[in-house]
Amino acid sequence: MKRFENKVAFITGGNSGIGKAVAMLMAREGAKVVIADIKKDQQAIDDLLKEGREIKFVACDVSKPDEVEAAIATTVAAFGSLDIAVNNAGIVDSSPIHEKPVEEWQRVLNVNLNGVFYGMKYQIIQMRNQPSGGAIVNIGSIMSQVAEFGIGSYASSKHGLVGLTKVAALENGVNNIRVNAIGPGYIETPLLMDNAGQGSEYRTYMESKHAMKRLGKPEEIAKAVLFLASEDASFCTGAYLPVDGGYLIQ
Ligand code: NAP
């Protein structure tokens, strides 16, 4: 039997980068997967359908609570339960605090922190109604613990995400709902590479910040997400797990 057979997984931002890697690995390990994203990657969905996997796309902007509530209701209506939720959708900012437009601050917080709150609110309501409970994995960042120039909104949202994860874990420990967070180092995804560019000086700088002197791959984060979402992590809750090639030890 596969690790996620008979499990229903809901993944935000699942059309690209880390979320897409999580969706593909979970589907291949037997889960019924719902991707909630603002845009659709039909190719990835078709590839998984052709392999005989159960996968569904729901259009959802995580910064809009009514869309998040509806996406979770659609998931339960389609597949009968919600066993795993991965709150992954995220965006970045790039201006110093004294120059940052208020709109930029609000946009990043709305997606990265409010979006995780909306997700967990409706995920937990559903999971509390199931005797089997569930597992939630929130995608933080190394910037949940440290900082970098120009990402005041991003670092604030990711620090906040860890606090929210811990509170959710405390509130739901006796309801058989585990809530954990992962802190990726710099990972080769569109989010990062669209800003950095291949072979650029900035890439070399980013690589140098990790003890392993390279960027991570989306699948390397996805494997840690699957661990925390699985029964292998049955006594893990409220944890923040860095998966960062040694970024934080330097
Ligand atoms: P990505 O490749 O840009 O994928 C993120 C996905 O989320 C995209 O499909 C994006 O759509 C979607 N999205 C954006 N805003 C959304 C919204 N409001 N509602 C629903 N979906 C939305 O990014 P990634 O690098 O995989 O990042 C995934 C998560 O990992 C983020 O939370 C990020 O902060 C975190 N992380 C990434 C790194 C890294 O180095 N890549 C490091 C640490 C943490 P669009 O493409 O249309 O925007």
Side-chain angles (χ1 to χ4, degrees):
M1 181 158 161
K2 290 184 174 161
R3 201 161 39 146
F4 295 103
E5 203 90 52
N6 301 322
K7 299 284 184 195
V8 178
F10 174 87
I11 300 156
T12 69
N15 269 341
S16 176
I18 293 168
K20 185 171 172 179
V22 172
M24 299 197 86
L25 283 190
M26 269 198 187
R28 287 180 177 144
E29 290 213 35
K32 298 176 177 115
V33 171
V34 172
I35 289 177
D37 202 306
I38 42 180
K39 66 165 195 259
K40 193 174 189 178
D41 179 348
Q42 191 61 49
Q43 188 59 54
I45 290 169
D46 287 348
D47 288 350
L48 287 168
L49 288 172
K50 257 187 246 156
E51 289 177 23
R53 317 294 171 192
E54 290 190 82
I55 186 148
K56 188 176 170 56
F57 174 82
V58 182
C60 172
D61 178 343
V62 298
S63 68
K64 301 199 170 129
D66 51 338
E67 290 190 17
V68 176
E69 184 178 17
I72 290 163
T74 302
T75 303
V76 177
F79 292 135
S81 65
L82 176 67
D83 305 299
I84 295 159
V86 182
N87 294 305
N88 161 79
I91 56 175
V92 285
D93 56 336
S94 57
S95 57
I97 291 165
H98 64 286
E99 290 172 1
K100 194 175 298 299
V102 169
E103 187 278 333
E104 181 180 283
W105 164 263
Q106 289 171 337
R107 185 161 41 85
V108 174
L109 268 288
N110 278 340
V111 175
N112 294 10
L113 187 57
N114 292 347
V116 175
F117 164 68
Y118 304 142
M120 287 210 290
K121 175 176 168 64
Y122 297 112
Q123 291 152 11
I124 289 168
I125 289 171
Q126 171 60 30
M127 288 174 178
R128 278 180 173 239
N129 281 330
Q130 309 171 162
S132 55
I136 298 175
V137 183
N138 295 324
I139 306 301
S141 167
I142 40 176
M143 299 305 152
S144 293
Q145 283 185 275
V146 293
E148 184 59 88
F149 281 85
I151 58 162
S153 321
Y154 185 81
S156 301
S157 68
K158 294 298 185 181
H159 275 67
L161 177 148
V162 171
L164 197 58
T165 299
K166 290 176 181 172
V167 173
L170 266 179
E171 290 176 352
N172 293 285
V174 296
N175 301 102
N176 204 20
I177 302 170
R178 298 182 299 101
V179 190
N180 293 289
I182 284 187
Y186 285 110
I187 309 301
E188 221 165 314
T189 69
L191 179 80
L192 186 70
M193 302 321 289
D194 288 354
N195 290 330
Q198 288 284 348
S200 68
E201 259 178 49
Y202 186 55
R203 184 190 171 104
T204 309
Y205 164 75
M206 287 189 296
E207 288 172 345
S208 75
K209 303 273 281 181
H210 302 76
M212 297 176 78
K213 304 300 175 205
R214 68 170 177 86
L215 304 182
K217 298 182 179 64
E219 292 70 26
E220 292 178 302
I221 303 305
K223 285 177 187 167
V225 172
L226 265 68
F227 164 68
L228 286 174
S230 77
E231 273 305 301
D232 294 339
S234 56
F235 201 49
C236 290
T237 197
Y240 161 78
L241 174 65
V243 183
D244 66 354
Y247 186 105
L248 290 171
I249 56 178
Q250 298 194 76

